[in-house]
Amino acid sequence: MATRFPEGFLWGGATAANQLEGAYQEGGKGLNLADVLPGGKARLELLSQTGFDFEIDKSKYTYPNHEAIDFYHRYKEDIALFAEMGFKVFRLSIAWSRIFPNGDELEPNEEGLAFYDRVFDELHKHGIEPLVTIAHYETPLHLIKEYGGWRNRKLVSFFERYVRTIFTRYKDKVKYWLTFNEINGATHMPLFGLGFSPESEETRLQDSFQGLHHQFVASAQAVKLGHEIIPESQIGCMLIYAPVYAYDSNPENVMHAKQEADIFNFLSGDVQVRGEYPYFAKRYFKENNIELDIQDGDLETIREGTVDFISFSYYMSRTDKKIKTPEEMGQGNLVGGVKNPFLKASDWGWEIDPIGLRVSLNELYGRYQKPLMIVENGLGAYDKVEEDGSIIDDYRIDYLREHIEQMGEAIEDGVDLIGYTSWGCIDLVSASSGQYSKRYGYIYVDKHDDGTGTLERKRKKSFYWYKDVISSNGENL
Ligand code: BG6
């Protein structure tokens, strides 16, 4: 069969522990960031605020991540469904606070370790390779409250203990690892990635880049350690990627778009892939009064701990204009930017741009010449269950088809693309909006924003479609 996708292409789906597992206080797990994030509108408001107190207040809010979709108890059923679709790989994260409930203990929690043993064994039973994110917006709450999150250098050594523990424990079960989810999103949303809520807008950038520097060191240490403990491991970085288009051919806008892309898209990649801060960082830091505390040995660690491959999430492109009015801004577009008149948007205002994925793949491969993996992409949409129980999600199929077509184009362009795990292969709790109703899955989960629902799983139309995509290695779209 003629297919553009290489043999052994890693087709699959992606999730994160906090959006999936539930059982937030079982198995000795400690609380983490996601456990204190309210559901619905309140979460969206929180993300743009300063000074969040990280307390749970059940009299005011709901906390959907506490139960999520109960993968903790239902993983066997879910993995069987992934296997039915023919998944080659399943991306999941380990919740740090299941392994070290507070984050700063000396000894790990055996019950937490045993849980992931069971999950990895179940995946291997079905011939599915686990792809594990080590940190996916799940900083242990104790590290947030006591230490101020990743602003604090101490987290580098706590993280080292955590990664050493999981590499040693799962060395025969996990080959593919990602260090920090969407590491470059840290400066936009420090709450998620860095586990702190800025005190003020003035301190946001300085604290975010300091936290990011700590993560660069922690990530490089993890890569070095992983290669020592698991010689055959493949360890990647994970970026949130949005190609930046200049709004028009005005050179002022073109230059501005280039600078935005440099800082948002490439700074983190350059550090993690090339092993050094890029040339343009110096001026940016100076002009924004960012003074990094870089300790002896940090730059050497970063140089030595470069990644084996690059993974990224792709949801949208970003259209940039140097001077913009509030009316021009895109709605809900997490990466910022002005509205692009050529693109339609999802119900949450995320602009849909399949060609932007080909642009991204070419930009990343052109710059780094390292294997690429798309580890998130998908359409968050409202689904309707018909009277006969079916879910006809043609809109999702269209979205995915158009993006996979562009992946095929990029492969023909010469890009070394090794895998694709679409986001939220089973419905789960949305990270930014804390909703169940923003669904991404091939598998429907009967759970609703008001907390009702049986948690029953159902195959959507896209389930059968994706199964065919995988079995034809991307030929039947
Ligand atoms: C990515 C995150 O930013 O986007 C995921 O890594 C998240 O955790 C995904 O779920 C989709 O975003 P949302 O807000 O629709 O869940």
Side-chain angles (χ1 to χ4, degrees):
M1 181 182 15
T3 159
R4 297 166 168 206
F5 290 85
E7 208 182 308
F9 189 79
L10 294 167
W11 296 101
T15 59
N18 71 90
Q19 294 169 260
L20 181 82
E21 289 176 2
Y24 82 116
Q25 285 180 314
E26 284 181 56
K29 176 180 164 293
L31 294 179
N32 64 29
L33 170 73
D35 296 322
V36 299
L37 296 181
K41 266 205 190 106
R43 181 173 308 193
L44 278 175
E45 282 161 16
L46 186 76
L47 291 178
S48 51
Q49 270 171 20
T50 50
F52 174 50
D53 63 4
F54 299 99
E55 296 298 336
I56 294 178
D57 183 351
K58 288 192 177 168
S59 69
K60 272 201 195 142
Y61 305 119
T62 59
Y63 293 89
N65 301 68
H66 289 185
E67 192 184 2
I69 61 156
D70 197 32
F71 178 81
Y72 188 80
H73 297 110
R74 294 165 196 252
Y75 65 93
K76 285 191 180 173
E77 180 191 347
D78 294 341
I79 291 171
L81 287 165
F82 302 151
E84 193 182 322
M85 274 188 277
F87 278 22
K88 314 283 181 219
V89 63
F90 173 56
R91 177 178 175 225
L92 70 167
S93 69
I94 292 180
W96 183 353
S97 69
R98 280 202 190 283
I99 311 300
F100 288 95
N102 283 330
D104 60 357
E105 297 91 338
L106 295 178
E107 295 303 324
N109 167 37
E110 174 54 34
E111 261 193 279
L113 287 167
F115 168 65
Y116 293 105
D117 266 325
R118 294 196 294 277
V119 172
F120 298 145
D121 289 346
E122 194 65 20
L123 287 166
H124 285 300
K125 197 173 106 189
H126 289 282
I128 301 174
E129 198 69 52
L131 163 64
V132 174
T133 318
I134 299 170
H136 192 131
Y137 301 161
E138 290 152 342
T139 308
L141 192 61
H142 178 73
L143 299 185
I144 292 175
K145 287 185 157 180
E146 290 300 311
Y147 297 89
W150 277 95
R151 283 173 296 187
N152 192 323
R153 174 92 197 183
K154 289 194 175 131
L155 266 74
V156 176
S157 49
F158 300 145
F159 187 77
E160 205 224 297
R161 192 176 304 141
Y162 162 53
V163 293
R164 187 183 289 281
T165 305
I166 57 175
F167 283 156
T168 306
R169 176 75 170 221
Y170 305 125
K171 65 179 183 321
D172 299 324
K173 300 184 182 182
V174 181
K175 177 178 165 199
Y176 293 103
W177 299 87
L178 307 176
T179 55
F180 291 93
N181 183 62
E182 297 186 331
I183 190 164
N184 54 322
T187 53
H188 269 229
M189 283 184 292
L191 184 68
F192 271 158
L194 297 170
F196 76 88
S197 178
E199 269 95 42
S200 69
E201 271 315 307
E202 287 71 54
T203 57
R204 190 176 66 85
L205 266 192
Q206 165 67 33
D207 285 350
S208 300
F209 275 100
Q210 187 61 54
L212 198 54
H213 177 72
H214 293 149
Q215 289 194 339
F216 290 151
V217 175
S219 172
Q221 268 180 7
V223 174
K224 285 172 66 177
L225 207 58
H227 288 159
E228 270 167 48
I229 300 174
I230 321 172
E232 68 283 10
S233 60
Q234 290 288 307
I235 308 177
C237 57
M238 195 311 196
L239 307 170
I240 173 172
Y241 199 86
V244 185
Y245 305 155
Y247 180 73
D248 56 24
S249 54
N250 178 346
E252 295 278 358
N253 287 334
V254 174
M255 191 62 211
H256 192 263
K258 189 224 164 328
Q259 287 174 325
E260 288 293 305
D262 278 349
I263 297 302
F264 189 72
N265 285 341
F266 296 125
L267 188 145
S268 298
D270 285 3
V271 173
Q272 293 187 289
V273 183
R274 294 175 163 169
E276 57 185 20
Y277 277 93
Y279 72 93
F280 50 77
K282 211 171 178 182
R283 178 169 183 180
Y284 176 80
F285 288 160
K286 195 166 154 221
E287 290 182 352
N288 288 282
N289 303 317
I290 297 162
E291 280 183 37
L292 292 188
D293 177 12
I294 297 180
Q295 298 198 355
D296 284 353
D298 282 2
L299 297 180
E300 200 184 343
T301 303
I302 286 173
R303 216 170 19 251
E304 291 170 355
T306 56
V307 293
D308 302 310
F309 69 99
I310 298 153
S311 81
F312 66 102
S313 63
Y314 176 78
Y315 293 95
M316 62 193 94
S317 52
R318 162 175 171 189
T319 303
D320 184 70
K321 202 173 174 200
K322 189 172 180 190
I323 299 166
K324 39 194 174 276
T325 61
E327 300 77 56
E328 290 175 310
M329 296 295 288
Q331 288 269 310
N333 189 330
L334 283 185
V335 291
V338 297
K339 271 184 228 141
N340 183 328
F342 300 99
L343 300 177
K344 293 204 176 84
S346 78
D347 287 339
W348 278 261
W350 293 23
E351 285 178 342
I352 300 172
D353 180 10
I355 294 175
L357 179 55
R358 180 176 174 192
V359 174
S360 306
L361 286 162
N362 275 278
E363 285 182 349
L364 282 166
Y365 194 64
R367 192 175 184 98
Y368 300 122
Q369 285 96 44
K370 287 259 179 195
L372 304 179
M373 205 188 293
I374 300 159
V375 295
E376 286 189 33
N377 170 240
L379 180 71
Y382 295 107
D383 287 333
K384 182 170 163 251
V385 184
E386 305 294 334
E387 270 176 26
D388 65 0
S390 60
I391 298 126
I392 318 288
D393 55 341
D394 287 316
Y395 37 89
R396 182 168 296 109
I397 295 173
D398 290 344
Y399 176 101
L400 294 165
R401 176 193 299 116
E402 287 168 15
H403 284 78
I404 295 174
E405 271 166 6
Q406 293 301 320
M407 285 157 47
E409 292 295 328
I411 290 170
E412 289 212 354
D413 293 336
V415 169
D416 183 10
L417 178 64
I418 59 172
Y420 177 72
T421 58
S422 63
W423 176 251
C425 47
I426 180 166
D427 291 348
L428 35 65
V429 179
S430 150
S432 62
S433 72
Q435 291 170 303
Y436 284 105
S437 53
K438 189 180 187 189
R439 296 174 183 275
Y440 286 87
Y442 305 110
I443 301 162
Y444 181 89
V445 177
D446 181 42
K447 190 74 186 168
H448 309 283
D449 291 340
D450 62 4
T452 61
T454 61
L455 290 167
E456 188 200 343
R457 277 59 171 157
K458 287 180 198 293
R459 295 165 185 79
K460 302 183 194 175
K461 185 175 174 186
S462 57
F463 180 100
Y464 302 100
W465 173 82
Y466 196 45
K467 184 176 180 201
D468 195 31
V469 172
I470 297 177
S471 68
S472 65
N473 197 22
E475 187 63 10
N476 298 345
L477 292 173

